[in-house]
Amino acid sequence: MKIKIKNLGILKQAEFSLGDLTIICGENNTGKTYAAYALFGFLSSWRKYFSIDLKEQDVKKLIEDGIVHLDLLEYFEDSQRLIDRGCQKYARQLYQIFASPSNRFENTEFKIEIDIKNDLLKKAYKSSISLSNKEFCSILKDENDSKLTFALLSEEKMQVPQQIIEKIIIDVLQDILFKIFFPNSFIASAERTGTAIFRKELNFARNRLLEELSQLDRSDDLNPIELLLKGYDDYALPIKRNVEFTRNLESISKNTSFIAEKYQDFLRDFSDIIGGEYNVNQNGELSYTPKGEILNLSMPESSSAVRSLLDIGFYLKHIARVGDLLIVDEPELNLHPENQRRIARLFVRLVNIGVKVFITTHSDYPIKELNTLIMLNHDRPYLKKIAETEGYQPEELLAADRVKLYVAEEVSGKLDDNEADTHYHTLTPANISPELGIEVTSFDRTIETMNRIQEAIIWGEE
């Protein structure tokens, strides 16, 4: 999947493709978070904007006869137009994703390019919909057949509103045509440390607001739902999601991810990074227990690294599914350089078990560690010896072709053929070599400058 953007915050014109591991790095205020938030917003809401035009006679036939056969080829041929139209609608709503004034993104363009092939239509599909604990609708498509069959099973089918029938059909068509390209996404924003600290206050404020709502005069000209959500309107969608996730840790902790079921060693390594375990008791109280200790620490009592990795830890243990996309804004946040290296290795292991990862960073340590994992990924005796000596596991090694890295930076050039050269911010793809790893010159320049200054201090008197 390729994403093309124009006039998105400081990013004047840029494009990037999603790999199994995607990295946007660069200096502060160069547009990294803009790209991450816009991507997350799209993946969180694309169904809303991909409106599929159903034939009215097909819907009526399903309602009246209880069965209809749709030809997927007709919708397949219209898929690129659906994507373009959906992206245009999404671009007009970007101000809501960023909690900005409505005119902030009026000149923004957001486009998605995906390679939709006929192969999608060859796969079999089988599903069913239940209403009131009764199987209501059966959906079936045989392998190598473009016909999709909807059958209403309930005797009360005539009482179901037409809008519900239409939504069922549209949801299935969206699943078959697009879901494979748009993974379920989870984001850890750079503000995640704050939501961990103020979790108790967030719950208190919400409960207080609910009490006030219950005491409202029903004749008041006020929408209670709008009042309930108003306190979150000033925050970008990723921050809202982090707040909601942190507030709901008690219910989230009752779930089990595929990582917890199959890769306990993965979770043990994560516990080593944070130096302990997170706990949520039956009263919803969150605490952290350091390894080898019996005391439980609250989030304000815990280290900034423990707070920084809180929602990532709960995602890995309770939510993660194969095919997900984990987006982390500044994974190095509050981490010692050694733990920055270890979290980079953890991300590679995630990629190798089926979870895609997207990160933004302005730290050299994760990039250098990823370089190492790429360069060690060769069947050569001396490299195997180095990996064994330094404690690298086979599941931590990374193929170069699975990585996409972009540098957010200011460049000089023409935005359009008829324009003069100008300076603008964009995303520049980095060279990635299986032998030499990732080339990021901006980090190298900074390190070389620091080394030059220190050498002058040490040797300048001679």
Side-chain angles (χ1 to χ4, degrees):
M1 179 169 66
K2 179 181 289 185
I3 299 95
K4 294 184 175 182
I5 49 183
K6 286 186 178 181
N7 303 314
L8 178 68
I10 199 171
L11 290 172
K12 190 69 174 177
Q13 183 169 293
E15 64 179 56
F16 61 95
S17 297
L18 284 187
D20 292 333
L21 173 61
T22 309
I23 308 155
I24 298 181
C25 64
E27 299 179 10
N28 298 108
N29 304 313
T30 52
K32 302 185 299 297
T33 298
Y34 272 101
Y37 279 18
L39 173 64
F40 175 75
F42 174 80
L43 293 176
S44 300
S45 59
W46 65 271
R47 288 181 180 276
K48 231 177 10 177
Y49 304 110
F50 281 39
S51 53
I52 295 177
D53 300 321
L54 298 177
K55 294 179 181 178
E56 188 175 351
Q57 61 266 31
D58 287 337
V59 178
K60 285 185 176 180
K61 181 174 177 57
L62 178 58
I63 294 174
E64 294 172 2
D65 299 344
I67 190 168
V68 69
H69 306 283
L70 302 185
D71 189 353
L72 284 172
L73 286 174
E74 295 180 13
Y75 296 96
F76 175 82
E77 292 168 356
D78 198 35
S79 56
Q80 190 57 56
R81 185 183 68 86
L82 293 175
I83 294 171
D84 294 341
R85 186 173 66 182
C87 288
Q88 290 172 3
K89 291 179 181 178
Y90 173 66
R92 292 196 294 269
Q93 301 301 315
L94 271 169
Y95 72 95
Q96 296 181 346
I97 304 299
F98 288 87
S100 301
S102 58
N103 62 348
R104 181 65 55 84
F105 296 95
E106 59 186 2
N107 296 318
T108 300
E109 294 181 17
F110 182 95
K111 295 182 179 179
I112 295 287
E113 291 183 1
I114 55 180
D115 186 15
I116 303 181
K117 298 179 179 178
N118 273 317
D119 292 351
L120 288 175
L121 304 185
K122 294 180 180 179
K123 297 180 180 179
Y125 184 92
K126 185 177 182 180
S127 184
S128 62
I129 307 293
S130 295
L131 294 176
S132 302
N133 295 322
K134 274 188 177 181
E135 190 174 358
F136 166 73
C137 181
S138 172
I139 308 107
L140 181 66
K141 187 185 90 65
D142 292 330
E143 191 174 0
N144 297 318
D145 187 355
S146 65
K147 297 296 183 183
L148 182 67
T149 300
F150 288 82
L152 300 183
L153 308 176
S154 172
E155 295 178 359
E156 295 84 16
K157 57 179 178 287
M158 301 298 293
Q159 301 175 10
V160 177
Q162 181 172 327
Q163 296 93 327
I164 300 295
I165 303 293
E166 291 175 352
K167 187 174 187 316
I168 290 172
I169 298 174
I170 289 173
D171 284 350
V172 172
L173 290 173
Q174 287 177 333
D175 280 350
I176 293 174
L177 293 174
F178 304 115
K179 189 177 180 181
I180 189 174
F181 302 105
F182 305 139
N184 295 314
S185 59
F186 178 88
I187 192 166
S189 71
E191 289 76 13
R192 56 190 180 272
T193 303
T195 62
I197 294 178
F198 297 110
R199 179 175 182 268
K200 188 179 294 186
E201 285 76 7
L202 290 167
N203 276 328
F204 175 80
R206 176 180 178 274
N207 292 336
R208 181 71 177 270
L209 182 56
L210 288 172
E211 286 180 15
E212 293 179 5
L213 284 173
S214 67
Q215 297 171 12
L216 282 175
D217 186 341
R218 294 302 176 186
S219 63
D220 288 349
D221 186 18
L222 179 66
N223 185 334
I225 300 300
E226 289 182 4
L227 179 60
L228 185 62
L229 298 177
K230 184 173 177 54
Y232 294 101
D233 284 347
D234 294 334
Y235 299 97
L237 177 65
I239 300 174
K240 291 180 187 178
R241 291 291 176 86
N242 281 168
V243 169
E244 293 165 3
F245 186 82
T246 306
R247 277 190 45 251
N248 292 313
L249 290 183
E250 182 185 9
S251 58
I252 289 169
S253 64
K254 297 174 183 177
N255 302 321
T256 302
S257 72
F258 85 101
I259 297 175
E261 291 176 349
K262 297 182 178 180
Y263 302 98
Q264 281 293 321
D265 58 329
F266 187 104
L267 296 180
R268 283 193 293 271
D269 287 348
F270 180 84
S271 294
D272 286 341
I273 293 175
I274 64 172
E277 296 281 350
Y278 299 115
N279 307 290
V280 179
N281 66 21
Q282 59 185 6
N283 297 321
E285 296 171 339
L286 173 66
S287 63
Y288 164 76
T289 304
K291 280 194 173 181
E293 304 288 345
I294 58 173
L295 74 162
N296 291 328
L297 303 176
S298 65
M299 285 300 105
E301 294 174 315
S302 303
S303 72
S304 57
V306 168
R307 299 194 298 269
S308 175
L309 294 175
L310 173 68
D311 50 358
I312 298 175
F314 273 82
Y315 166 78
L316 295 174
K317 188 173 182 179
H318 302 288
I319 301 296
R321 291 173 290 181
V322 173
D324 279 2
L325 175 66
L326 171 62
I327 303 175
V328 185
D329 197 10
E330 301 182 16
E332 70 271 15
L333 196 64
N334 299 315
L335 298 186
H336 182 277
E338 178 60 25
N339 275 340
Q340 292 186 42
R341 293 180 58 205
R342 296 184 68 183
I343 205 72
R345 292 163 69 172
L346 205 72
F347 288 153
V348 171
R349 290 177 65 181
L350 261 185
V351 166
N352 287 333
I353 63 175
V355 176
K356 296 180 186 295
V357 177
F358 180 107
I359 65 172
T360 70
T361 183
H362 39 61
S363 173
D364 185 44
Y365 293 104
I367 304 301
K368 291 292 187 185
E369 189 66 10
L370 292 171
N371 277 349
T372 299
L373 302 178
I374 291 172
M375 292 187 289
L376 285 174
N377 189 42
H378 298 279
D379 189 19
R380 297 172 189 165
Y382 84 97
L383 292 177
K384 290 184 177 181
K385 181 66 173 176
I386 293 172
E388 182 181 351
T389 301
E390 300 298 334
Y392 290 100
Q393 303 299 317
E395 59 268 23
E396 294 175 330
L397 305 185
L398 181 64
D401 60 3
R402 303 184 70 183
V403 185
K404 302 286 186 183
L405 187 140
Y406 300 86
V407 180
E409 61 183 354
E410 187 179 54
V411 300
S412 177
K414 287 181 169 56
L415 283 169
D416 294 302
D417 292 338
N418 298 327
E419 291 186 1
D421 282 359
T422 185
H423 293 280
Y424 63 96
H425 282 85
T426 188
L427 301 176
T428 305
N431 294 322
I432 303 177
S433 164
E435 286 74 28
L436 302 176
I438 305 164
E439 179 184 343
V440 183
T441 56
S442 61
F443 287 144
D444 295 337
R445 285 196 300 268
T446 301
I447 293 170
E448 288 167 3
T449 299
M450 294 171 66
N451 290 339
R452 175 178 54 78
I453 294 171
Q454 292 185 14
E455 288 175 2
I457 292 171
I458 295 171
W459 305 107
E461 191 174 6
E462 294 184 359

